Amino acid sequence: MLFLLTGDVQIGKTRWLERLASELYAEGCEVAGVVAPGVWRAAGEGGFEKLGIDNVLLPDGERVAFARRRDLARAEGSLDPESQSEAAQLAWHISDDALARVNAHFGLIAEGMCGGAEEGEARPRLLVVDELGRLELERGCGLVAATELLARGATARFPHALAVVRDWLLPRAVERFGAAWGGARAISPDDGARGLVRAACGLAS
């Protein structure tokens, strides 16, 4: 089954996914892929300012500095005018080197070299991709190794997948991947969705 975790910005999608992945892993479910927590700093009067985005590669937990707010990258001199994100004029500057590192991780997952379980093991597995954005769904670049995996549909190794996508890009994600999975189920970061994913992975809610 393909789950598409969707909604507006800053509603807790990644935090929800991080908690779910940790919970599933603790209960014996192999979770492989990437989650993308924000990088924040205190901004006075109890507020916080988002500076960047990291990618945490699952299951091992390697943390990759993935994206920097575009205005900060420009001020710091790290903005690459030839990058994929700059060509798309994204609000976030994504390092092409970081994209290459995360794509290499998904390449290892595709080859069965990441995750620890053997193909024949009867163990529930979930592929996670946080997130599919304009690069992947409008321009055919970005996390191409992740989109190639999702385009395969369910496999013996990963019969279920969960991808994060903004609500306005949801129709593109369904069109791109839904048929390969026999449909796609849009979910929100709530307890009901948690139960659905756990049930798909063969775990009690």
Side-chain angles (χ1 to χ4, degrees):
M1 180 177 291
L2 174 62
F3 296 98
L4 295 174
L5 179 61
T6 192
D8 205 348
V9 297
Q10 296 185 19
I11 63 169
K13 297 186 295 296
T14 292
R15 289 191 299 275
W16 181 89
L17 180 55
E18 286 180 305
R19 289 194 297 269
L20 176 65
S22 178
E23 176 183 302
L24 295 178
Y25 185 80
E27 295 186 50
C29 178
E30 176 188 351
V31 182
V34 64
V35 293
V39 177
W40 303 80
R41 71 178 176 194
E45 297 185 2
F48 291 89
E49 177 185 14
K50 191 171 185 178
L51 307 180
I53 301 167
D54 284 348
N55 271 192
V56 178
L57 310 184
L58 303 176
D60 293 335
E62 177 186 348
R63 200 173 189 102
V64 177
F66 187 72
R68 190 73 167 165
R69 211 172 66 204
R70 189 167 179 260
D71 62 318
L72 296 178
R74 183 182 296 280
E76 295 160 356
S78 61
L79 189 146
D80 177 3
E82 303 300 321
S83 66
Q84 297 176 46
S85 61
E86 188 64 9
Q89 291 293 288
L90 301 184
W92 297 94
H93 176 64
I94 303 172
S95 161
D96 281 355
D97 288 342
L99 281 171
R101 176 67 191 93
V102 179
N103 275 317
H105 177 67
F106 278 106
L108 291 175
I109 292 172
E111 295 168 10
M113 297 173 65
C114 178
E118 297 297 328
E119 185 69 28
E121 289 186 18
R123 183 182 183 187
R125 303 181 182 103
L126 180 70
L127 175 70
V128 297
V129 183
D130 183 10
E131 69 178 89
L132 300 174
R134 287 180 54 206
L135 294 183
E136 293 78 21
L137 296 175
E138 292 185 341
R139 302 178 68 89
C141 57
L143 298 179
V144 291
T147 57
E148 288 170 3
L149 264 177
L150 289 172
R152 295 181 184 181
T155 65
R157 183 168 179 79
F158 289 108
H160 310 293
L162 190 158
V164 179
V165 60
R166 298 283 175 83
D167 48 5
W168 60 277
L169 283 170
L170 179 62
R172 287 181 179 267
V174 173
E175 180 182 7
R176 178 87 174 270
F177 306 110
W181 290 85
R185 179 152 192 169
I187 59 173
S188 299
D190 55 32
D191 286 343
R194 170 184 169 276
L196 289 174
V197 178
R198 288 180 57 85
C201 293
L203 301 174
S205 59

